[in-house]
């Protein structure tokens, strides 16, 4: 059952903030959905644990870039992005600013600095969300916390006992991060990983004068040169559009987040960056690899990906012990009707984890939740 939807968020007799739709997470997914719902006449409240929207993009490494602006815009007017920049690559700091402006100019009800502690439910009725700023209540709940807030750290024998410093790539911003940690402008750094984040971090530290090595389990792949990407961009977009309709879960080659062929691969082929297979174990001050090699490093950086942020839902829905994902059907929880998830890898199509896919999924979900469809949005 569903309670009557309210036009705007307001407190009930118990002092809880009540709203038609409650969204957890003010990243691109949460903001896009809030905009699409508002455009359809349904008010949503967005809760964000950080002090600013788009916290993930606020904290990423300084040199991080994404695809062209054309792919990364959220629904609605382009706002601060001029037309001549549409096919230029998007920089991290630009996108963080864009998300702030998007929230402000569209007058979205985003409430920052609020940590969600627990989610409960009143029978089959409204969701009750316990936060650091009191309780929120809504018949429809959308989890849009993404998968960049929970770093995935591999467990290697001896790692905890080793004297070698270790960190996840999520804590890396620029070479000064390593300089401050090691108290030195030089040193030997091992990066574990083979994708774009590993490549960007490798390039940064090489240019700063550090001796960099890469450890990877499978062969390193690379994306085409930037000029070739620009040339084939229209064709790849047409291919994606066709595949989304015909084979929505098929993952084409152009969505592999690999190293850059012109900037990263030459560092490896020239021998400037040494490569090793997977780590077998850590010794006191060395790393032992599966091929028997043993090397000393001052720092190990894990560019090993992330798991979805779901701690607030533990015990409320079942989470896969390996992936951290709940069982879903058409973005909705199979266990808790009315609970939706936005921004997870392959949750609706192969583009769901990417910004252009978030835009599509947000529009799709808003159509299900808003207006006349809101009464049928909860289905078993």
């Amino acid at each position: 059952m569903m309670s009557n939807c309210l036009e705007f968020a307001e407190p009930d007799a118990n002092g809880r903030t009540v709203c038609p739709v409650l969204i957890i997470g003010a990243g691109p997914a949460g903001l896009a959905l809030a905009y699409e719902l508002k455009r359809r006449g349904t008010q949503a409240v967005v809760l964000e644990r950080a002090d600013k929207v788009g916290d993930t993009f606020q904290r990423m490494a300084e040199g991080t870039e994404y695809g062209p602006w054309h792919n990364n815009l959220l629904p609605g007017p382009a706002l601060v992005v001029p037309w001549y920049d549409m096919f230029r690559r998007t920089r991290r700091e630009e996108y963080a600013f864009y998300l702030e402006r998007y929230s402000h100019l569209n007058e979205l009800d985003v409430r920052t600095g609020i940590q969600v502690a627990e989610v409960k439910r009143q029978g089959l009725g409204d969701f009750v969300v316990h936060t650091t700023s009191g309780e929120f209540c809504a018949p429809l709940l959308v989890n849009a916390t993404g998968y960049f807030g929970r770093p995935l750290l591999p467990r290697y024998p001896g790692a905890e006992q080793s004297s070698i410093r270790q960190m996840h790539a999520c804590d890396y911003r620029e070479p000064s991060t390593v300089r401050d940690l090691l108290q030195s402008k030089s040193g030997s750094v091992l990066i574990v990983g083979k994708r774009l984040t590993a490549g960007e971090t490798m390039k940064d530290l090489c240019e700063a004068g550090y001796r960099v090595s890469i450890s990877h389990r499978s062969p390193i792949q690379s994306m085409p040169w930037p000029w070739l990407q620009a040339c084939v961009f229209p064709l790849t977009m047409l291919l994606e559009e066709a595949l989304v309709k015909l084979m929505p879960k098929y993952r084409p080659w152009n969505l592999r987040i690999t190293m850059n062929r012109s900037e990263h691969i030459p560092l490896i082929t020239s021998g400037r960056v040494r490569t090793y297979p997977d780590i077998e174990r850590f010794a006191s001050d060395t790393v032992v690899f599966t091929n028997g090699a043993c090397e000393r490093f001052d720092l190990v950086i894990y560019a090993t990906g992330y798991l979805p942020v779901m701690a607030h839902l533990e015990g409320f829905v079942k989470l896969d012990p390996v992936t951290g994902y709940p069982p879903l059907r058409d973005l909705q929880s199979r266990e808790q009707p009315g609970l939706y998830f936005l921004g997870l890898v392959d949750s609706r199509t192969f583009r769901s984890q990417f910004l252009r896919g978030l835009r599509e999924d947000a529009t799709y979900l808003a159509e299900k939740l808003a207006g006349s469809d809101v009464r049928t949005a909860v289905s078993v």
Side-chain angles (χ1 to χ4, degrees):
M1 296 179 61
M2 293 176 55
S3 63
N4 294 328
C5 291
L6 304 176
E7 287 295 325
F8 301 99
E10 58 184 43
D12 65 4
N14 297 316
R16 300 178 298 188
T17 300
V18 182
C19 57
V21 182
L22 184 64
I23 302 171
I24 304 175
L31 296 178
L33 179 60
Y35 170 84
E36 289 287 6
L37 287 170
K38 183 177 180 180
R39 191 165 70 87
R40 289 166 172 79
T42 298
Q43 183 76 10
V45 172
V46 186
L47 304 182
E48 170 56 48
R49 65 180 180 178
D51 294 331
K52 293 183 178 180
V53 304
D55 180 59
T56 293
F57 298 88
Q58 303 281 356
R59 294 183 291 106
M60 281 185 177
E62 292 296 337
T64 303
E65 292 185 352
Y66 318 101
W69 271 106
H70 178 268
N71 281 356
N72 302 333
L73 294 175
L74 299 186
L79 301 174
V80 295
V81 183
W83 65 268
Y84 51 80
D85 273 345
M86 287 301 165
F87 294 99
R88 180 175 62 79
R89 289 181 64 80
T90 312
R91 299 186 183 92
R92 178 210 65 82
E93 66 276 10
E94 293 176 325
Y95 204 70
F97 174 74
Y98 167 75
L99 293 178
E100 291 187 71
R101 295 292 291 165
Y102 185 87
S103 174
H104 175 72
L105 295 177
N106 287 310
E107 298 181 332
L108 304 179
D109 189 351
V110 179
R111 309 188 184 191
T112 58
I114 297 180
Q115 176 74 47
V116 174
E118 187 181 23
V119 176
K120 292 186 176 181
R121 194 167 196 175
Q122 301 175 153
L124 292 177
D126 291 356
F127 295 94
V128 179
V129 178
H130 300 266
T131 78
T132 53
S133 293
E135 295 182 351
F136 291 76
C137 184
L140 297 172
L141 178 63
V142 181
N143 192 86
T145 51
Y147 55 92
F148 282 109
R150 186 181 167 196
L152 176 60
L153 289 167
R155 297 181 178 179
Y156 292 112
E160 293 184 1
Q161 293 75 35
S162 176
S163 61
I164 302 174
R165 294 180 180 272
Q166 301 166 57
M167 63 181 289
H168 192 273
C170 68
D171 296 318
Y172 175 83
R173 292 297 301 273
E174 54 189 356
S176 63
T177 304
V178 174
R179 184 181 67 242
D180 293 343
L181 185 64
L182 299 181
Q183 293 295 299
S184 174
K185 295 182 179 180
S186 63
S188 183
V189 179
L190 175 67
I191 300 173
V192 181
K194 65 167 193 173
R195 299 191 182 277
L196 184 59
T197 299
E200 291 175 338
T201 308
M202 172 185 72
K203 177 176 177 288
D204 256 9
L205 294 178
C206 278
E207 292 176 348
Y210 291 92
R211 300 188 306 278
V212 182
S213 301
I214 289 280
S215 169
H216 56 98
R217 293 179 177 175
S218 54
I220 293 175
Q221 298 176 324
S222 62
M223 66 181 72
W225 291 276
W227 63 266
L228 181 56
Q229 284 184 283
C231 290
V232 302
F233 174 75
L235 294 177
T236 57
M237 288 300 100
L238 288 175
L239 174 63
E240 276 192 25
E241 292 296 335
L243 288 176
V244 162
K245 296 177 181 178
L246 298 175
M247 296 182 288
K249 292 300 180 73
Y250 172 78
R251 182 176 290 275
W253 67 270
N254 64 303
L255 292 188
R256 297 170 185 164
I257 309 175
T258 59
M259 289 191 184
N260 187 298
R261 191 170 299 173
S262 60
E263 296 182 350
H264 305 152
I265 298 303
L267 294 172
I268 297 174
T269 56
S270 67
R272 186 174 177 185
V273 171
R274 299 184 65 181
T275 61
Y276 294 92
D278 193 19
I279 296 173
E280 180 181 285
R281 60 184 174 87
F282 279 73
S284 59
D285 61 350
T286 59
V287 175
V288 181
F289 299 93
T290 55
N291 65 350
C294 180
E295 297 291 342
R296 183 186 178 282
F297 296 98
D298 299 302
L299 173 67
V300 174
I301 300 178
Y302 296 106
T304 46
Y306 301 81
L307 291 172
V309 181
M310 300 283 183
H312 53 288
L313 294 173
E314 290 181 2
F316 187 66
V317 293
K318 294 179 182 178
L319 301 174
D320 186 284
V322 176
T323 66
Y325 277 41
L328 301 179
R329 180 177 59 228
D330 198 24
L331 301 180
Q332 185 173 199
S333 168
R334 289 180 177 269
E335 301 172 278
Q336 297 288 347
L339 171 60
Y340 290 83
F341 292 82
L342 198 58
L344 297 181
V345 178
D346 296 334
S347 55
R348 180 168 168 263
T349 75
F350 60 77
R351 295 203 287 195
S352 291
Q353 76 181 95
F354 298 96
L355 294 171
R356 57 189 180 277
L358 294 179
R359 180 175 60 206
E360 298 167 354
D361 290 356
T363 301
Y364 172 83
L365 186 55
E367 290 175 353
K368 290 187 63 173
L369 304 186
S372 60
D373 290 337
V374 73
R375 294 179 180 82
T376 60
V378 177
S379 58
V380 180

